[in-house]
Amino acid sequence: MNPTPVVELEGVRKVFDGGTVALDGVTLTVYEGEFFSLLGPSGCGKTTLLRILGGFEVPDAGTVRIAGVDVREVPPYRRPVNTVFQNYALFPHMTVFDNIAFGLRMRRRPPAEVRRKVGWAMELVQIEGLSARRPHELSGGQKQRVALARALVNEPRVLLLDEPLGALDLKLRKQLQIELMRLQMELGTTFVYVTHDQEEALVMSDRMAVMQNGRLEQVGLPEELYERPKTAFVARFLGRSNLIEAHAVAPDRAETPFGPLRVSGGLTPGRRYLLGIRPEKLRLAREPWNRANTVTARVKEIVYTGAENQYILEARGGELVAYTLNADISEPGYEEYDYGETVHVHLPPENLVVIDEPIGDEPRPPAP
Ligand code: ATP
């Protein structure tokens, strides 16, 4: 069965007074039932994109379709969407029940239906006992549950969530992440979720987009973006990455400051690339590896994070970051190293990602 497009953006551009280009030609399709995240640094345009979907901003160019309808002339309250904001935006003078009932009452639903649906929404987000409280009598997590219930009670086709967990402490955030994922699966509602927290996006999304400067850098499955970033920005923004300048000398070979490196293929001889490798994909050993793609380095810094040891390694060609699991076993890849120790670093060719992004026209001479 083909997925049904629910949100369709084409060439959407938004320039604010003063000339800030918040969105610079965004084309994107989100499908029915997807948990889709927009991830990017502050100011990249995520909120503007969400506000355009909600009908709170009007694009200067491009088209926006929701559930097959061009929504240019459709006011926010007529769109099949609801928004959950980071600051909850609850009505302070109303009880929890009245906050949640607000949308239904605006649509003049009969009182019995209002009671039933509000009860259903409160149960969904597990706040059954709080109906008579006012927002100032709630914790941050409870307020966010009310905000969610207030949006879900209207059974939107698309739920827009703007950093809904941003104001909560880490433990609560993790708990609510799981609850939100469960809710989304149960209801099958399409979620468009804005966050600047890369782990949150990786954990929660079916698909996601990384944004920069009003543009979508890359759209895909979380593992696609993490494992095969198409730009240096995506490689750096999603987790950490070792990025190595390379000058291709064969389809599967390049000269780099770390010496010649083999990759799985796809290079055009004579061109320059960045090769990316994640810190957890470097292999460390005390004894030299009898293989290609090895670099000798010295341990410069060690960061102990509990589950992992993170090493900053100094090699002739520059620094490399490597993570090893703190598993207390003495096998290559798991050993622990001390400051100043020499380590042999293997960069498996299959884990070197070729980032095919222009990085200057001049071919770089091979490293000495
Ligand atoms: P954050 O994570 O900080 O919320 P964001 O990615 O959501 O950032 P936006 O709020 O969409 O970013 O803002 C994109 C750009 O547009 C920023 O440079 C911002 O300063 C600018 N901008 C947003 N709203 C307005 C406005 N009403 N008037 C002028 N400029 C605006």
Side-chain angles (χ1 to χ4, degrees):
M1 203 175 67
N2 285 336
T4 312
V6 178
V7 172
E8 295 163 278
L9 299 162
E10 206 168 319
V12 170
R13 188 174 160 81
K14 177 73 190 175
V15 184
F16 284 110
D17 297 344
T20 305
V21 181
L23 295 176
D24 190 11
V26 170
T27 296
L28 172 70
T29 304
V30 179
Y31 296 94
E32 180 101 61
E34 268 194 313
F35 194 127
F36 190 93
S37 295
L38 294 165
L39 174 73
S42 184
C44 72
K46 312 179 289 291
T47 298
T48 304
L49 191 50
L50 213 65
R51 287 175 59 79
I52 283 177
L53 293 176
F56 305 112
E57 297 286 356
V58 180
D60 296 306
T63 56
V64 180
R65 293 166 72 82
I66 301 177
V69 176
D70 186 331
V71 292
R72 189 192 318 257
E73 306 292 334
V74 183
Y77 60 91
R78 288 249 159 95
R79 297 187 181 200
V81 306
N82 273 99
T83 307
V84 177
F85 300 96
Q86 179 179 348
N87 61 4
Y88 323 123
L90 300 176
F91 303 115
H93 55 285
M94 286 187 197
T95 63
V96 165
F97 186 97
D98 291 341
N99 261 284
I100 300 172
F102 185 80
L104 297 171
R105 287 178 175 154
M106 286 291 282
R107 284 189 279 126
R108 305 193 186 289
R109 304 312 304 163
E113 182 186 326
V114 171
R115 269 197 308 280
R116 183 171 51 77
K117 287 200 166 159
V118 172
W120 166 81
M122 289 179 67
E123 198 183 320
L124 209 58
V125 301
Q126 298 164 20
I127 50 168
E128 292 98 322
L130 303 179
S131 62
R133 296 225 196 142
R134 285 172 207 278
H136 73 272
E137 297 167 317
L138 301 172
S139 71
Q142 288 167 336
K143 280 184 205 162
Q144 197 49 283
R145 287 170 195 268
V146 176
L148 253 175
R150 189 180 59 174
L152 290 172
V153 80
N154 301 308
E155 299 173 78
R157 280 289 287 276
V158 184
L159 187 66
L160 307 172
L161 301 108
D162 192 359
E163 307 227 18
L165 310 181
L168 306 175
D169 68 59
L170 185 65
K171 197 157 174 227
L172 192 54
R173 206 155 75 216
K174 299 252 175 231
Q175 185 190 334
L176 282 175
Q177 281 174 7
I178 299 197
E179 286 189 34
L180 270 177
M181 289 162 69
R182 173 187 60 80
L183 255 181
Q184 196 269 340
M185 291 231 291
E186 237 173 75
L187 297 173
T189 310
T190 307
F191 277 24
V192 180
Y193 190 95
V194 160
T195 181
H196 64 260
D197 180 334
Q198 39 128 336
E199 193 186 313
E200 193 160 283
L202 287 173
V203 167
M204 299 178 81
S205 321
D206 294 318
R207 282 191 315 140
M208 60 192 277
V210 171
M211 288 185 74
Q212 184 191 207
N213 295 336
R215 290 175 163 274
L216 302 182
E217 284 270 319
Q218 192 172 348
V219 181
L221 303 174
E223 56 268 37
E224 247 167 39
L225 270 64
Y226 186 81
E227 303 290 345
R228 292 189 296 285
K230 287 210 168 107
T231 67
F233 180 81
V234 175
R236 286 199 188 98
F237 194 75
L238 266 188
R240 252 170 120 174
S241 208
N242 293 291
L243 293 175
I244 301 169
E245 285 197 22
H247 174 222
V249 293
D252 61 350
R253 215 150 32 83
E255 291 297 338
T256 79
F258 295 93
L261 289 178
R262 279 195 177 279
V263 301
S264 298
L267 302 177
T268 304
R271 280 198 50 197
R272 290 174 60 194
Y273 295 88
L274 282 175
L275 303 180
I277 185 162
R278 297 289 183 188
E280 68 276 15
K281 294 195 168 148
L282 297 177
R283 297 277 162 265
L284 306 186
R286 274 210 170 83
E287 302 303 321
W289 297 88
N290 192 14
R291 301 183 189 173
N293 283 23
T294 66
V295 170
T296 304
R298 204 179 55 82
V299 177
K300 186 178 164 198
E301 274 178 55
I302 306 171
V303 180
Y304 170 78
T305 67
E308 281 170 353
N309 291 305
Q310 305 188 344
Y311 296 100
I312 310 284
L313 305 169
E314 201 164 35
R316 196 188 53 169
E319 282 186 358
L320 292 168
V321 186
Y323 299 166
T324 62
L325 211 53
N326 193 4
D328 281 341
I329 42 179
S330 301
E331 286 170 17
Y334 293 105
E335 294 158 322
E336 287 187 26
Y337 301 92
D338 290 324
Y339 287 98
E341 210 178 330
T342 297
V343 282
H344 300 278
V345 187
H346 177 49
L347 296 79
E350 64 277 17
N351 293 338
L352 277 164
V353 177
V354 177
I355 296 176
D356 195 359
E357 190 180 35
I359 53 166
D361 303 328
E362 290 301 306
R364 247 173 62 92

mmCIF file of all heavy atoms in Angstrom, residues 16-17 20 22 41-48 163, ligand 1:
data_model
loop_
_atom_site.group_PDB
_atom_site.id
_atom_site.type_symbol
_atom_site.label_atom_id
_atom_site.label_comp_id
_atom_site.label_asym_id
_atom_site.label_seq_id
_atom_site.Cartn_x
_atom_site.Cartn_y
_atom_site.Cartn_z
ATOM 1 N N PHE A 16 11.154 37.386 6.935
ATOM 2 C CA PHE A 16 10.545 38.290 7.910
ATOM 3 C C PHE A 16 10.956 39.734 7.626
ATOM 4 O O PHE A 16 11.970 39.976 6.961
ATOM 5 C CB PHE A 16 10.966 37.894 9.333
ATOM 6 C CG PHE A 16 10.247 36.669 9.831
ATOM 7 C CD1 PHE A 16 10.920 35.465 9.995
ATOM 8 C CD2 PHE A 16 8.894 36.716 10.132
ATOM 9 C CE1 PHE A 16 10.256 34.336 10.452
ATOM 10 C CE2 PHE A 16 8.225 35.595 10.594
ATOM 11 C CZ PHE A 16 8.899 34.404 10.750
ATOM 12 N N ASP A 17 10.170 40.664 8.167
ATOM 13 C CA ASP A 17 10.526 42.086 8.056
ATOM 14 C C ASP A 17 11.943 42.235 8.588
ATOM 15 O O ASP A 17 12.274 41.687 9.631
ATOM 16 C CB ASP A 17 9.593 42.950 8.921
ATOM 17 C CG ASP A 17 8.164 42.846 8.425
ATOM 18 O OD1 ASP A 17 7.971 42.389 7.282
ATOM 19 O OD2 ASP A 17 7.252 43.208 9.202
ATOM 20 N N THR A 20 15.273 38.745 7.368
ATOM 21 C CA THR A 20 15.718 37.397 7.763
ATOM 22 C C THR A 20 15.003 36.350 6.917
ATOM 23 O O THR A 20 13.776 36.294 6.883
ATOM 24 C CB THR A 20 15.374 37.118 9.245
ATOM 25 O OG1 THR A 20 15.941 38.153 10.026
ATOM 26 C CG2 THR A 20 15.913 35.768 9.691
ATOM 27 N N ALA A 22 13.861 33.036 6.896
ATOM 28 C CA ALA A 22 13.636 31.958 7.873
ATOM 29 C C ALA A 22 13.481 30.625 7.156
ATOM 30 O O ALA A 22 13.925 29.597 7.661
ATOM 31 C CB ALA A 22 12.413 32.255 8.722
ATOM 32 N N PRO A 41 19.673 23.531 14.636
ATOM 33 C CA PRO A 41 20.098 24.476 15.668
ATOM 34 C C PRO A 41 19.123 25.640 15.783
ATOM 35 O O PRO A 41 18.286 25.856 14.901
ATOM 36 C CB PRO A 41 21.454 24.952 15.169
ATOM 37 C CG PRO A 41 21.429 24.749 13.701
ATOM 38 C CD PRO A 41 20.535 23.579 13.444
ATOM 39 N N SER A 42 19.262 26.384 16.849
ATOM 40 C CA SER A 42 18.422 27.547 17.088
ATOM 41 C C SER A 42 18.477 28.493 15.888
ATOM 42 O O SER A 42 19.544 28.774 15.355
ATOM 43 C CB SER A 42 18.933 28.247 18.345
ATOM 44 O OG SER A 42 18.095 29.316 18.639
ATOM 45 N N GLY A 43 17.305 28.933 15.463
ATOM 46 C CA GLY A 43 17.249 29.923 14.387
ATOM 47 C C GLY A 43 17.242 29.336 12.991
ATOM 48 O O GLY A 43 17.232 30.070 12.001
ATOM 49 N N CYS A 44 17.203 28.002 12.849
ATOM 50 C CA CYS A 44 17.289 27.400 11.508
ATOM 51 C C CYS A 44 15.947 27.428 10.781
ATOM 52 O O CYS A 44 15.881 27.101 9.603
ATOM 53 C CB CYS A 44 17.832 25.980 11.574
ATOM 54 S SG CYS A 44 16.668 24.800 12.262
ATOM 55 N N GLY A 45 14.860 27.763 11.503
ATOM 56 C CA GLY A 45 13.561 27.886 10.822
ATOM 57 C C GLY A 45 12.537 26.828 11.195
ATOM 58 O O GLY A 45 11.442 26.794 10.629
ATOM 59 N N LYS A 46 12.854 25.982 12.167
ATOM 60 C CA LYS A 46 11.943 24.877 12.540
ATOM 61 C C LYS A 46 10.578 25.402 12.981
ATOM 62 O O LYS A 46 9.538 24.941 12.504
ATOM 63 C CB LYS A 46 12.515 24.051 13.714
ATOM 64 C CG LYS A 46 13.944 23.644 13.586
ATOM 65 C CD LYS A 46 14.404 22.852 14.799
ATOM 66 C CE LYS A 46 14.575 23.631 16.084
ATOM 67 N NZ LYS A 46 15.688 24.585 16.120
ATOM 68 N N THR A 47 10.611 26.360 13.908
ATOM 69 C CA THR A 47 9.349 26.871 14.447
ATOM 70 C C THR A 47 8.553 27.584 13.361
ATOM 71 O O THR A 47 7.329 27.448 13.289
ATOM 72 C CB THR A 47 9.631 27.817 15.632
ATOM 73 O OG1 THR A 47 10.280 27.041 16.636
ATOM 74 C CG2 THR A 47 8.366 28.410 16.197
ATOM 75 N N THR A 48 9.242 28.307 12.508
ATOM 76 C CA THR A 48 8.555 29.007 11.422
ATOM 77 C C THR A 48 7.826 27.998 10.534
ATOM 78 O O THR A 48 6.673 28.209 10.143
ATOM 79 C CB THR A 48 9.564 29.841 10.602
ATOM 80 O OG1 THR A 48 10.237 30.730 11.501
ATOM 81 C CG2 THR A 48 8.888 30.631 9.514
ATOM 82 N N GLU A 163 8.957 21.623 20.327
ATOM 83 C CA GLU A 163 9.817 21.369 21.496
ATOM 84 C C GLU A 163 8.983 21.130 22.752
ATOM 85 O O GLU A 163 9.195 21.807 23.762
ATOM 86 C CB GLU A 163 10.777 22.548 21.720
ATOM 87 C CG GLU A 163 11.552 22.880 20.470
ATOM 88 C CD GLU A 163 13.034 23.056 20.714
ATOM 89 O OE1 GLU A 163 13.534 22.606 21.750
ATOM 90 O OE2 GLU A 163 13.686 23.625 19.828
HETATM 91 P P1 ATP B 1 14.644 27.942 18.029
HETATM 92 O O1 ATP B 1 15.106 26.522 18.176
HETATM 93 O O2 ATP B 1 15.578 28.923 18.698
HETATM 94 O O3 ATP B 1 13.213 28.152 18.375
HETATM 95 P P2 ATP B 1 13.994 27.851 15.204
HETATM 96 O O4 ATP B 1 14.802 26.920 14.390
HETATM 97 O O5 ATP B 1 12.649 27.406 15.610
HETATM 98 O O6 ATP B 1 14.824 28.326 16.469
HETATM 99 P P3 ATP B 1 12.669 30.107 14.000
HETATM 100 O O7 ATP B 1 11.974 30.538 15.246
HETATM 101 O O8 ATP B 1 11.859 29.461 12.955
HETATM 102 O O9 ATP B 1 13.918 29.185 14.357
HETATM 103 O O10 ATP B 1 13.392 31.391 13.397
HETATM 104 C C1 ATP B 1 14.071 31.384 12.135
HETATM 105 C C2 ATP B 1 14.674 32.747 11.899
HETATM 106 O O11 ATP B 1 13.634 33.705 11.703
HETATM 107 C C3 ATP B 1 15.507 33.267 13.064
HETATM 108 O O12 ATP B 1 16.596 33.989 12.545
HETATM 109 C C4 ATP B 1 14.551 34.195 13.795
HETATM 110 O O13 ATP B 1 15.252 35.221 14.471
HETATM 111 C C5 ATP B 1 13.715 34.746 12.671
HETATM 112 N N1 ATP B 1 12.333 35.070 13.086
HETATM 113 C C6 ATP B 1 11.425 34.218 13.619
HETATM 114 N N2 ATP B 1 10.258 34.843 13.842
HETATM 115 C C7 ATP B 1 10.412 36.125 13.458
HETATM 116 C C8 ATP B 1 9.571 37.294 13.441
HETATM 117 N N3 ATP B 1 8.301 37.226 13.838
HETATM 118 N N4 ATP B 1 10.099 38.436 12.969
HETATM 119 C C9 ATP B 1 11.367 38.494 12.526
HETATM 120 N N5 ATP B 1 12.222 37.448 12.516
HETATM 121 C C10 ATP B 1 11.748 36.275 12.976
#
